mmCIF file of all heavy atoms in Angstrom:
data_model
loop_
_atom_site.group_PDB
_atom_site.id
_atom_site.type_symbol
_atom_site.label_atom_id
_atom_site.label_comp_id
_atom_site.label_asym_id
_atom_site.label_seq_id
_atom_site.Cartn_x
_atom_site.Cartn_y
_atom_site.Cartn_z
ATOM 1 N N LEU A 8 -21.601 -23.016 -51.538
ATOM 2 C CA LEU A 8 -22.167 -22.165 -52.545
ATOM 3 C C LEU A 8 -21.039 -21.502 -53.294
ATOM 4 O O LEU A 8 -20.166 -20.804 -52.732
ATOM 5 C CB LEU A 8 -23.017 -21.078 -51.847
ATOM 6 C CG LEU A 8 -23.541 -19.947 -52.747
ATOM 7 C CD1 LEU A 8 -24.437 -20.508 -53.853
ATOM 8 C CD2 LEU A 8 -24.257 -18.914 -51.943
ATOM 9 N N LEU A 9 -21.080 -21.673 -54.637
ATOM 10 C CA LEU A 9 -20.059 -21.008 -55.482
ATOM 11 C C LEU A 9 -20.831 -20.077 -56.424
ATOM 12 O O LEU A 9 -21.980 -20.294 -56.817
ATOM 13 C CB LEU A 9 -19.369 -22.067 -56.342
ATOM 14 C CG LEU A 9 -18.655 -23.194 -55.628
ATOM 15 C CD1 LEU A 9 -18.087 -24.211 -56.632
ATOM 16 C CD2 LEU A 9 -17.585 -22.691 -54.685
ATOM 17 N N ARG A 10 -20.195 -18.990 -56.704
ATOM 18 C CA ARG A 10 -20.754 -17.991 -57.629
ATOM 19 C C ARG A 10 -20.285 -18.211 -59.039
ATOM 20 O O ARG A 10 -19.078 -18.256 -59.344
ATOM 21 C CB ARG A 10 -20.377 -16.573 -57.187
ATOM 22 C CG ARG A 10 -20.929 -16.158 -55.838
ATOM 23 C CD ARG A 10 -22.446 -15.969 -55.941
ATOM 24 N NE ARG A 10 -22.977 -15.401 -54.712
ATOM 25 C CZ ARG A 10 -24.241 -15.072 -54.552
ATOM 26 N NH1 ARG A 10 -25.118 -15.297 -55.513
ATOM 27 N NH2 ARG A 10 -24.666 -14.523 -53.439
ATOM 28 N N GLY A 11 -21.251 -18.441 -59.970
ATOM 29 C CA GLY A 11 -20.883 -18.528 -61.348
ATOM 30 C C GLY A 11 -20.898 -17.089 -62.000
ATOM 31 O O GLY A 11 -21.149 -16.107 -61.324
ATOM 32 N N GLU A 12 -20.597 -17.103 -63.293
ATOM 33 C CA GLU A 12 -20.467 -15.800 -64.000
ATOM 34 C C GLU A 12 -21.775 -15.447 -64.768
ATOM 35 O O GLU A 12 -21.791 -14.451 -65.414
ATOM 36 C CB GLU A 12 -19.314 -15.909 -64.975
ATOM 37 C CG GLU A 12 -17.966 -16.200 -64.301
ATOM 38 C CD GLU A 12 -16.846 -16.396 -65.317
ATOM 39 O OE1 GLU A 12 -17.155 -16.439 -66.561
ATOM 40 O OE2 GLU A 12 -15.715 -16.470 -64.958
ATOM 41 N N GLY A 13 -22.805 -16.291 -64.614
ATOM 42 C CA GLY A 13 -24.058 -16.016 -65.339
ATOM 43 C C GLY A 13 -23.869 -16.211 -66.845
ATOM 44 O O GLY A 13 -24.541 -15.554 -67.644
ATOM 45 N N ARG A 14 -22.983 -17.122 -67.259
ATOM 46 C CA ARG A 14 -22.685 -17.316 -68.708
ATOM 47 C C ARG A 14 -23.002 -18.702 -69.170
ATOM 48 O O ARG A 14 -22.541 -19.124 -70.219
ATOM 49 C CB ARG A 14 -21.222 -17.011 -68.887
ATOM 50 C CG ARG A 14 -20.814 -15.589 -68.584
ATOM 51 C CD ARG A 14 -19.328 -15.381 -68.701
ATOM 52 N NE ARG A 14 -18.909 -15.572 -70.062
ATOM 53 C CZ ARG A 14 -17.614 -15.702 -70.398
ATOM 54 N NH1 ARG A 14 -16.641 -15.749 -69.461
ATOM 55 N NH2 ARG A 14 -17.235 -15.891 -71.655
ATOM 56 N N GLY A 15 -23.828 -19.447 -68.495
ATOM 57 C CA GLY A 15 -24.276 -20.768 -69.005
ATOM 58 C C GLY A 15 -23.828 -21.927 -68.229
ATOM 59 O O GLY A 15 -22.915 -21.871 -67.402
ATOM 60 N N VAL A 16 -24.534 -23.068 -68.464
ATOM 61 C CA VAL A 16 -24.339 -24.231 -67.596
ATOM 62 C C VAL A 16 -22.974 -24.850 -67.774
ATOM 63 O O VAL A 16 -22.410 -25.345 -66.744
ATOM 64 C CB VAL A 16 -25.473 -25.290 -67.929
ATOM 65 C CG1 VAL A 16 -25.308 -25.807 -69.380
ATOM 66 C CG2 VAL A 16 -25.461 -26.405 -66.913
ATOM 67 N N HIS A 17 -22.380 -24.798 -68.913
ATOM 68 C CA HIS A 17 -21.049 -25.504 -69.038
ATOM 69 C C HIS A 17 -19.999 -24.730 -68.245
ATOM 70 O O HIS A 17 -19.130 -25.356 -67.621
ATOM 71 C CB HIS A 17 -20.661 -25.649 -70.529
ATOM 72 C CG HIS A 17 -20.348 -24.423 -71.273
ATOM 73 N ND1 HIS A 17 -21.348 -23.530 -71.604
ATOM 74 C CD2 HIS A 17 -19.248 -23.943 -71.756
ATOM 75 C CE1 HIS A 17 -20.835 -22.519 -72.300
ATOM 76 N NE2 HIS A 17 -19.525 -22.720 -72.424
ATOM 77 N N ARG A 18 -20.071 -23.408 -68.201
ATOM 78 C CA ARG A 18 -19.129 -22.659 -67.376
ATOM 79 C C ARG A 18 -19.381 -22.892 -65.896
ATOM 80 O O ARG A 18 -18.438 -22.908 -65.128
ATOM 81 C CB ARG A 18 -19.142 -21.203 -67.764
ATOM 82 C CG ARG A 18 -18.594 -20.921 -69.180
ATOM 83 C CD ARG A 18 -18.577 -19.429 -69.444
ATOM 84 N NE ARG A 18 -17.907 -19.139 -70.728
ATOM 85 C CZ ARG A 18 -18.469 -19.012 -71.892
ATOM 86 N NH1 ARG A 18 -19.861 -19.205 -71.913
ATOM 87 N NH2 ARG A 18 -17.850 -18.768 -72.958
ATOM 88 N N ALA A 19 -20.676 -23.035 -65.520
ATOM 89 C CA ALA A 19 -20.993 -23.317 -64.142
ATOM 90 C C ALA A 19 -20.389 -24.677 -63.719
ATOM 91 O O ALA A 19 -19.868 -24.755 -62.580
ATOM 92 C CB ALA A 19 -22.486 -23.258 -63.958
ATOM 93 N N ARG A 20 -20.561 -25.630 -64.591
ATOM 94 C CA ARG A 20 -20.010 -26.976 -64.281
ATOM 95 C C ARG A 20 -18.486 -26.887 -64.141
ATOM 96 O O ARG A 20 -17.921 -27.533 -63.244
ATOM 97 C CB ARG A 20 -20.378 -27.940 -65.321
ATOM 98 C CG ARG A 20 -21.914 -28.366 -65.276
ATOM 99 C CD ARG A 20 -22.311 -29.156 -66.495
ATOM 100 N NE ARG A 20 -23.689 -29.611 -66.395
ATOM 101 C CZ ARG A 20 -24.488 -29.919 -67.392
ATOM 102 N NH1 ARG A 20 -24.051 -29.813 -68.615
ATOM 103 N NH2 ARG A 20 -25.731 -30.375 -67.163
ATOM 104 N N ASN A 21 -17.805 -26.128 -64.993
ATOM 105 C CA ASN A 21 -16.379 -26.003 -64.916
ATOM 106 C C ASN A 21 -15.961 -25.298 -63.642
ATOM 107 O O ASN A 21 -14.901 -25.649 -63.074
ATOM 108 C CB ASN A 21 -15.864 -25.258 -66.139
ATOM 109 C CG ASN A 21 -15.924 -26.098 -67.394
ATOM 110 O OD1 ASN A 21 -15.952 -27.389 -67.330
ATOM 111 N ND2 ASN A 21 -15.952 -25.460 -68.553
ATOM 112 N N ARG A 22 -16.799 -24.345 -63.154
ATOM 113 C CA ARG A 22 -16.426 -23.703 -61.883
ATOM 114 C C ARG A 22 -16.426 -24.752 -60.747
ATOM 115 O O ARG A 22 -15.597 -24.773 -59.855
ATOM 116 C CB ARG A 22 -17.401 -22.628 -61.607
ATOM 117 C CG ARG A 22 -17.181 -21.928 -60.257
ATOM 118 C CD ARG A 22 -15.875 -21.074 -60.275
ATOM 119 N NE ARG A 22 -15.470 -20.737 -58.910
ATOM 120 C CZ ARG A 22 -16.006 -19.830 -58.134
ATOM 121 N NH1 ARG A 22 -17.057 -19.150 -58.611
ATOM 122 N NH2 ARG A 22 -15.526 -19.607 -56.942
ATOM 123 N N GLY A 23 -17.433 -25.668 -60.839
ATOM 124 C CA GLY A 23 -17.477 -26.786 -59.847
ATOM 125 C C GLY A 23 -16.269 -27.643 -59.898
ATOM 126 O O GLY A 23 -15.727 -28.029 -58.872
ATOM 127 N N ILE A 24 -15.814 -27.957 -61.146
ATOM 128 C CA ILE A 24 -14.600 -28.779 -61.279
ATOM 129 C C ILE A 24 -13.413 -28.077 -60.611
ATOM 130 O O ILE A 24 -12.624 -28.740 -59.942
ATOM 131 C CB ILE A 24 -14.331 -29.016 -62.764
ATOM 132 C CG1 ILE A 24 -15.419 -29.956 -63.356
ATOM 133 C CG2 ILE A 24 -12.902 -29.594 -63.006
ATOM 134 C CD1 ILE A 24 -15.305 -30.100 -64.901
ATOM 135 N N GLU A 25 -13.245 -26.791 -60.839
ATOM 136 C CA GLU A 25 -12.166 -26.064 -60.243
ATOM 137 C C GLU A 25 -12.103 -26.122 -58.738
ATOM 138 O O GLU A 25 -11.024 -26.181 -58.100
ATOM 139 C CB GLU A 25 -12.206 -24.604 -60.702
ATOM 140 C CG GLU A 25 -11.989 -24.367 -62.199
ATOM 141 C CD GLU A 25 -12.285 -22.956 -62.660
ATOM 142 O OE1 GLU A 25 -12.666 -22.114 -61.699
ATOM 143 O OE2 GLU A 25 -12.232 -22.660 -63.829
ATOM 144 N N GLU A 26 -13.255 -26.085 -58.113
ATOM 145 C CA GLU A 26 -13.351 -25.992 -56.665
ATOM 146 C C GLU A 26 -13.536 -27.327 -55.946
ATOM 147 O O GLU A 26 -13.345 -27.422 -54.718
ATOM 148 C CB GLU A 26 -14.520 -25.110 -56.295
ATOM 149 C CG GLU A 26 -14.446 -23.674 -56.771
ATOM 150 C CD GLU A 26 -13.346 -22.867 -56.043
ATOM 151 O OE1 GLU A 26 -12.953 -23.275 -54.943
ATOM 152 O OE2 GLU A 26 -12.869 -21.830 -56.616
ATOM 153 N N ALA A 27 -13.842 -28.396 -56.676
ATOM 154 C CA ALA A 27 -14.245 -29.657 -56.037
ATOM 155 C C ALA A 27 -12.979 -30.321 -55.367
ATOM 156 O O ALA A 27 -11.805 -30.187 -55.840
ATOM 157 C CB ALA A 27 -14.760 -30.630 -57.072
ATOM 158 N N ARG A 28 -13.245 -30.997 -54.252
ATOM 159 C CA ARG A 28 -12.143 -31.618 -53.488
ATOM 160 C C ARG A 28 -12.060 -33.151 -53.738
ATOM 161 O O ARG A 28 -11.064 -33.731 -53.436
ATOM 162 C CB ARG A 28 -12.388 -31.374 -51.971
ATOM 163 C CG ARG A 28 -12.449 -29.942 -51.578
ATOM 164 C CD ARG A 28 -12.484 -29.788 -50.073
ATOM 165 N NE ARG A 28 -12.631 -28.358 -49.675
ATOM 166 C CZ ARG A 28 -13.716 -27.859 -49.090
ATOM 167 N NH1 ARG A 28 -14.769 -28.629 -48.859
ATOM 168 N NH2 ARG A 28 -13.743 -26.627 -48.726
ATOM 169 N N GLY A 29 -13.138 -33.725 -54.249
ATOM 170 C CA GLY A 29 -13.125 -35.189 -54.436
ATOM 171 C C GLY A 29 -12.351 -35.653 -55.662
ATOM 172 O O GLY A 29 -12.092 -34.866 -56.571
ATOM 173 N N GLU A 30 -12.081 -36.953 -55.695
ATOM 174 C CA GLU A 30 -11.361 -37.555 -56.826
ATOM 175 C C GLU A 30 -12.324 -37.946 -57.916
ATOM 176 O O GLU A 30 -11.944 -38.095 -59.049
ATOM 177 C CB GLU A 30 -10.536 -38.723 -56.335
ATOM 178 C CG GLU A 30 -9.375 -38.341 -55.417
ATOM 179 C CD GLU A 30 -8.422 -37.385 -56.066
ATOM 180 O OE1 GLU A 30 -8.114 -37.500 -57.239
ATOM 181 O OE2 GLU A 30 -8.075 -36.395 -55.351
ATOM 182 N N VAL A 31 -13.575 -38.260 -57.529
ATOM 183 C CA VAL A 31 -14.603 -38.578 -58.550
ATOM 184 C C VAL A 31 -15.687 -37.485 -58.410
ATOM 185 O O VAL A 31 -16.169 -37.252 -57.343
ATOM 186 C CB VAL A 31 -15.193 -39.959 -58.277
ATOM 187 C CG1 VAL A 31 -16.430 -40.190 -59.231
ATOM 188 C CG2 VAL A 31 -14.149 -41.051 -58.513
ATOM 189 N N LEU A 32 -16.030 -36.880 -59.501
ATOM 190 C CA LEU A 32 -16.966 -35.810 -59.528
ATOM 191 C C LEU A 32 -18.308 -36.289 -60.077
ATOM 192 O O LEU A 32 -18.309 -36.868 -61.186
ATOM 193 C CB LEU A 32 -16.440 -34.627 -60.407
ATOM 194 C CG LEU A 32 -15.018 -34.172 -60.085
ATOM 195 C CD1 LEU A 32 -14.664 -32.998 -60.962
ATOM 196 C CD2 LEU A 32 -14.867 -33.784 -58.639
ATOM 197 N N LEU A 33 -19.417 -35.996 -59.418
ATOM 198 C CA LEU A 33 -20.750 -36.367 -59.859
ATOM 199 C C LEU A 33 -21.534 -35.068 -60.178
ATOM 200 O O LEU A 33 -21.483 -34.086 -59.414
ATOM 201 C CB LEU A 33 -21.533 -37.165 -58.796
ATOM 202 C CG LEU A 33 -21.208 -38.632 -58.630
ATOM 203 C CD1 LEU A 33 -19.817 -38.890 -58.139
ATOM 204 C CD2 LEU A 33 -22.221 -39.333 -57.764
ATOM 205 N N PHE A 34 -22.172 -35.069 -61.305
ATOM 206 C CA PHE A 34 -22.872 -33.921 -61.757
ATOM 207 C C PHE A 34 -24.381 -34.276 -61.894
ATOM 208 O O PHE A 34 -24.733 -35.376 -62.372
ATOM 209 C CB PHE A 34 -22.406 -33.447 -63.121
ATOM 210 C CG PHE A 34 -20.985 -32.973 -63.172
ATOM 211 C CD1 PHE A 34 -19.956 -33.891 -63.360
ATOM 212 C CD2 PHE A 34 -20.679 -31.651 -62.983
ATOM 213 C CE1 PHE A 34 -18.604 -33.508 -63.344
ATOM 214 C CE2 PHE A 34 -19.357 -31.227 -62.993
ATOM 215 C CZ PHE A 34 -18.284 -32.167 -63.155
ATOM 216 N N THR A 35 -25.211 -33.374 -61.455
ATOM 217 C CA THR A 35 -26.632 -33.437 -61.720
ATOM 218 C C THR A 35 -27.179 -32.054 -61.864
ATOM 219 O O THR A 35 -26.503 -31.047 -61.725
ATOM 220 C CB THR A 35 -27.395 -34.244 -60.673
ATOM 221 O OG1 THR A 35 -28.658 -34.574 -61.125
ATOM 222 C CG2 THR A 35 -27.470 -33.474 -59.328
ATOM 223 N N ASP A 36 -28.471 -31.937 -62.237
ATOM 224 C CA ASP A 36 -29.129 -30.652 -62.477
ATOM 225 C C ASP A 36 -30.090 -30.323 -61.363
ATOM 226 O O ASP A 36 -30.539 -31.238 -60.639
ATOM 227 C CB ASP A 36 -29.836 -30.620 -63.870
ATOM 228 C CG ASP A 36 -28.868 -30.633 -65.013
ATOM 229 O OD1 ASP A 36 -27.694 -30.336 -64.798
ATOM 230 O OD2 ASP A 36 -29.297 -30.931 -66.141
ATOM 231 N N ASP A 37 -30.490 -29.094 -61.285
ATOM 232 C CA ASP A 37 -31.328 -28.652 -60.136
ATOM 233 C C ASP A 37 -32.793 -29.136 -60.315
ATOM 234 O O ASP A 37 -33.521 -29.086 -59.377
ATOM 235 C CB ASP A 37 -31.307 -27.143 -59.998
ATOM 236 C CG ASP A 37 -31.716 -26.378 -61.221
ATOM 237 O OD1 ASP A 37 -32.207 -26.992 -62.217
ATOM 238 O OD2 ASP A 37 -31.521 -25.144 -61.282
ATOM 239 N N ASP A 38 -33.176 -29.610 -61.466
ATOM 240 C CA ASP A 38 -34.467 -30.139 -61.693
ATOM 241 C C ASP A 38 -34.584 -31.659 -61.605
ATOM 242 O O ASP A 38 -35.545 -32.274 -62.084
ATOM 243 C CB ASP A 38 -35.175 -29.632 -62.953
ATOM 244 C CG ASP A 38 -34.291 -29.883 -64.172
ATOM 245 O OD1 ASP A 38 -33.243 -30.540 -64.069
ATOM 246 O OD2 ASP A 38 -34.757 -29.457 -65.263
ATOM 247 N N THR A 39 -33.565 -32.286 -61.034
ATOM 248 C CA THR A 39 -33.596 -33.751 -60.841
ATOM 249 C C THR A 39 -33.819 -34.134 -59.416
ATOM 250 O O THR A 39 -33.591 -33.329 -58.510
ATOM 251 C CB THR A 39 -32.285 -34.377 -61.324
ATOM 252 O OG1 THR A 39 -31.220 -33.968 -60.507
ATOM 253 C CG2 THR A 39 -31.956 -34.067 -62.763
#
């Protein structure tokens, strides 16, 4: 669980990029 800044989906995705450990990053949305 990572805490975003409440400033929109693109910033939330970038927070995930900063913290991710993998070499290939997969993105999806919570309604998929």
Side-chain angles (χ1 to χ4, degrees):
L8 171 62
L9 305 176
R10 294 291 189 178
E12 300 174 351
R14 299 175 62 195
V16 65
H17 67 291
R18 290 186 174 91
R20 288 169 174 156
N21 287 336
R22 178 69 197 286
I24 290 172
E25 293 170 2
E26 298 289 340
R28 302 186 183 112
E30 294 303 316
V31 174
L32 310 182
L33 279 68
F34 297 85
T35 193
D36 289 344
D37 57 11
D38 55 1
T39 65

